[in-house]
Amino acid sequence: MKSVVIIGAGPAGIRAAQTLVAHGVRPILLDEAARGGGQIYRRQPANFKRSAVKLYGFEARKAKALHQTIDALREQLDYRPDTLVWNAEAGALDTLREGRAARLEFSRVIVATGATDRILPVPGWTLPGAYSLGAAQIALKFQGCAIGERVVFAGSGPLLYLVAYQYAKAGANVIAVLDSSPFSAQARALPGLLSQPSTLAKGIYYRTWLTAHGIPVHQGATLKRIDGEHRVQSLSWHNAASEHRIECDAVAFAHGLRSETQLADLLGCEFTWNPLNRAWLPQRDSAGRSSIAEVYLAGDGAGIMGADAAEMAGERAALALLEDIGYLIPPQRATQLEQSLQTIGRFRQGLERAFLFPESWATDAADDLMICRCEEVHAGDIRQVVREGHWEINRVKAHCRVGMGRCQGRMCGAAAAEIIACESQRNLSDIGRLRAQAPIKPLPFGLEVEP
């Protein structure tokens, strides 16, 4: 019998599951992680005893509420943690759990796959000790450790200040925060951020707390390179005034987040260029319906909006699914959710103005800069293919193998697109998008297939 399936047990997936269960539907909830909560509310292993306040700070109440929700739902849904969905097509998902591959047929599916860091490489980014902001956060929350003894956080976006604050609050030695966005941009964006005053206040608090505790926060600061022989030993950065050097043994960096859209692509969803996210995103209506009748989209996997919006979008997508299969849903609640999501959307626009994308990155990237570490493709390799007359991103991929490795372009795709657009002197939206290929993540050899 075909089932209703939810992919992802983060804020969107858990609220979607709760809504379906409340209406008498027993969904299958698939999650790659061992415990539900997603990245933002990632749960520590059961044998760790750190308090929620230490793990999540201001978000402790929300995190505990979400965790309690999924714990309470365990007997009312088919929850399958540690399950990777590595392929998808009309009516079926291919999964991997405990070394066994299986195919799961569905009647309807809510895709709530979340987001990952948007990486713009710098020289030395492949050295041991260099992490993304999200990876640094995983180390702290799930493994109970810091990524180094002298840590620098760099890049831009709200996550930069949040992770730096979480590390410093946990007792790690944070020696600097390098925000590539100038303070003037954040000041100009302030009116647009006032639509979510509590969220704005938390961001200001993180920034102020870091400074008050003696941690230098440099704005308009661009990470230039990471140096070291066998691991990170120092880094260089520059601002409008001069170049600087910092001795450190670890650095975490990213420029905002990018949506995980591969499964939506494999399911056949149509995509549209989204200038706010600087990315191609699957089409969805205000309720979360995609261009494919049985596919619904919720959370950051369909556009970066944050954890609060993800919870609302998960509930709204579940209500849309229920309505489409014949259930009566509360129209007032559906309207309220859509209006709240619109308000958060305006705040999101303010964030983009506050944390500017570094437009000069592709121009400044040297030819010998490694872009695709899986296939060892450098910026110069990509530029050479463009000079040969190829500028559509999948054609460039075919000629130099950028994005063909283990990550399937999840780490290098955004950076490669920026270089192609810059070298071909085209708009980023004109060069196309990397088509998803299965498996979207690496699979082990010798898989056992369930009958």
Side-chain angles (χ1 to χ4, degrees):
M1 179 179 177
K2 294 183 179 180
S3 304
V4 173
V5 178
I6 302 168
I7 306 173
I14 291 175
R15 291 304 178 205
Q18 181 184 35
T19 304
L20 294 175
V21 168
H23 286 78
V25 175
R26 180 184 173 88
I28 297 174
L29 178 58
L30 308 175
D31 192 35
E32 191 175 348
R35 308 183 75 191
Q39 169 67 349
I40 187 66
Y41 301 135
R42 183 177 289 273
R43 300 177 80 168
Q44 61 187 329
N47 59 333
F48 284 17
K49 302 301 180 184
R50 289 171 294 166
S51 70
V53 172
K54 287 185 177 179
L55 275 175
Y56 310 110
F58 290 119
E59 308 304 316
R61 181 184 58 82
K62 294 178 182 178
K64 289 176 66 175
L66 203 71
H67 297 160
Q68 289 168 357
T69 297
I70 191 171
D71 290 345
L73 292 173
R74 290 292 290 267
E75 301 303 319
Q76 302 171 74
L77 50 76
D78 185 351
Y79 175 47
R80 304 182 189 181
D82 292 313
T83 301
L84 168 67
V85 180
W86 58 269
N87 186 29
E89 57 187 48
L93 306 171
D94 289 305
T95 66
L96 174 67
R97 186 181 187 188
E98 296 179 348
R100 297 182 66 86
R103 169 154 283 210
L104 174 63
E105 295 186 345
F106 64 85
S107 60
R108 306 270 172 166
V109 61
I110 298 176
V111 181
T113 43
T116 190
D117 299 278
R118 179 168 57 189
I119 300 298
L120 298 178
V122 296
W125 75 292
T126 59
L127 281 169
Y131 294 76
S132 71
L133 290 173
Q137 198 176 47
I138 290 172
L140 185 67
K141 289 181 179 178
F142 190 69
Q143 297 170 325
C145 65
I147 58 173
E149 296 182 0
R150 295 168 297 150
V151 186
V152 174
F153 293 94
S156 195
L159 191 62
L160 172 68
Y161 290 100
L162 174 60
V163 181
Y165 167 79
Q166 289 173 333
Y167 261 66
K169 190 75 171 176
N173 183 18
V174 178
I175 58 176
V177 176
L178 309 177
D179 185 350
S180 63
S181 294
F183 178 78
S184 58
Q186 293 166 10
R188 288 193 300 270
L190 190 60
L193 299 175
L194 291 173
S195 62
Q196 294 283 292
S198 61
T199 304
L200 173 61
K202 284 184 286 191
I204 293 173
Y205 176 83
Y206 297 144
R207 169 70 169 79
T208 304
W209 189 94
L210 290 166
T211 302
H213 286 77
I215 298 170
V217 177
H218 303 283
Q219 297 199 248
T222 299
L223 178 61
K224 184 175 182 180
R225 67 178 183 274
I226 302 168
D227 296 309
E229 292 188 14
H230 303 294
R231 63 163 297 116
V232 174
Q233 294 176 308
S234 66
L235 61 81
S236 297
W237 63 277
H238 66 84
N239 56 17
S242 60
E243 184 169 324
H244 309 266
R245 185 171 181 269
I246 300 176
E247 300 284 341
C248 61
D249 64 357
V251 58
F253 71 105
H255 288 274
L257 299 171
R258 49 163 293 277
S259 298
E260 293 276 38
T261 60
Q262 293 93 331
L263 290 178
D265 192 358
L266 291 172
L267 285 164
C269 296
E270 294 183 7
F271 279 62
T272 302
W273 175 253
N274 185 289
L276 180 66
N277 286 263
R278 204 177 179 88
W280 290 89
L281 297 178
Q283 293 180 10
R284 59 171 169 169
D285 67 12
S286 58
R289 296 179 180 91
S290 77
S291 60
I292 303 297
E294 67 272 16
V295 179
Y296 304 79
L297 305 166
D300 283 349
I304 308 301
M305 292 278 281
D308 291 347
E311 290 192 47
M312 297 176 196
E315 181 181 351
R316 185 64 188 93
L319 289 174
L321 186 156
L322 289 165
E323 184 178 27
D324 292 346
I325 61 177
Y327 285 74
L328 292 176
I329 65 168
Q332 299 89 348
R333 180 58 178 165
T335 300
Q336 179 187 20
L337 288 167
E338 291 183 21
Q339 290 175 343
S340 297
L341 286 168
Q342 288 175 358
T343 300
I344 295 177
R346 290 192 292 271
F347 179 79
R348 169 83 173 110
Q349 292 175 356
L351 283 179
E352 284 302 310
R353 289 190 289 271
F355 297 103
L356 298 173
F357 184 86
E359 299 281 354
S360 65
W361 174 83
T363 302
D364 296 340
D367 280 348
D368 61 355
L369 175 62
M370 182 81 74
I371 302 297
C372 174
R373 58 188 178 186
C374 296
E375 295 293 325
E376 298 187 356
V377 180
H378 298 81
D381 301 323
I382 297 172
R383 291 183 176 119
Q384 179 59 38
V385 172
V386 173
R387 288 193 287 268
E388 291 170 358
H390 307 287
W391 51 266
E392 196 279 326
I393 192 167
N394 292 285
R395 293 300 302 158
V396 175
K397 173 183 175 180
H399 280 263
C400 69
R401 299 189 60 83
V402 63
M404 279 194 184
R406 289 167 57 87
C407 86
Q408 286 291 289
R410 293 170 65 246
M411 287 291 104
C412 65
E418 296 287 342
I419 289 177
I420 295 168
C422 179
E423 184 66 21
S424 65
Q425 298 184 333
R426 287 177 166 82
N427 293 326
L428 190 61
S429 58
D430 292 337
I431 66 165
R433 62 183 178 87
L434 279 176
R435 291 187 293 268
Q437 302 285 338
I440 63 169
K441 291 186 179 179
L443 297 177
F445 288 110
L447 282 181
E448 296 183 33
V449 180
E450 292 184 0

